[in-house]
Amino acid sequence: MSEFENVTAPPPPPASSQAPQEERTMALVAHLLGILTSFVGPLIIWLINKDKAPNSFVVDQSKEALNFQITLVFVYIVGIILSVIVIGVFINMLAGLAGLILAIIAAVKANNGEAYRYPFAIRLIK
C-alpha cells in the first residue's frame, strides 16, 4: 500500500460571500464618477442596475454614492448662500476636499468588495 492512498482530497475552498469582480468594478466607477459628475454618474449607474437584483453590491454602493453626492450638493448650496459672510467659501472648500477624499476611500473599499458607508450622508434613496 502506498502512502498516497490514505491521503484525502483537500476540502473545497470556502464559498465566497464577496461580490463578483464586475459588480465591484461598477461600484468603484459609481464612487469615482461622483468626483467628476456630482450626482449624475452615480444616478445613471443606479438607474441601469436597480432592477437587476435588489440586494446586489453595485445597487447598494451606487445608492450610497448617490446619497452622498446629493448631500454634497445641499452643502454646496448652503455654502454659496453663506459666501455673503465669507464662511461659505470655507464650507465649500471643506466640502470639496471631504468629497474627494471620501469618494476615493469609498472607491478603494468597493473595489475590495467591502460595503462602504459615508460618515455623513442624507439617505434620500433607500
Side-chain angles (χ1 to χ4, degrees):
M1 185 177 226
S2 115
E3 62 184 71
F4 295 110
E5 290 181 75
N6 290 334
V7 176
T8 60
S16 176
S17 63
Q18 208 173 38
Q21 182 61 41
E22 180 181 326
E23 286 193 4
R24 291 187 290 163
T25 302
M26 287 300 290
L28 166 99
V29 169
H31 289 292
L32 290 181
L33 275 177
I35 296 171
L36 300 173
T37 65
S38 185
F39 66 90
V40 177
L43 175 65
I44 291 171
I45 291 178
W46 178 66
L47 288 173
I48 290 171
N49 293 298
K50 72 177 183 171
D51 295 329
K52 291 183 181 174
N55 59 352
S56 82
F57 185 70
V58 68
V59 172
D60 175 59
Q61 290 302 293
S62 61
K63 280 194 295 191
E64 186 67 20
L66 178 59
N67 284 326
F68 180 66
Q69 294 302 325
I70 291 171
T71 302
L72 281 180
V73 168
F74 290 150
V75 172
Y76 289 141
I77 290 170
V78 169
I80 289 169
I81 293 169
L82 291 178
S83 66
V84 173
I85 56 172
V86 183
I87 194 162
V89 175
F90 296 114
I91 290 173
N92 281 342
M93 288 183 352
L94 283 174
L97 185 62
L100 175 69
I101 291 169
L102 292 174
I104 291 172
I105 292 171
V108 170
K109 295 276 188 180
N111 195 39
N112 292 335
E114 303 172 33
Y116 183 76
R117 296 288 176 245
Y118 288 97
F120 62 94
I122 301 170
R123 308 273 189 256
L124 295 175
I125 310 297
K126 302 225 184 237

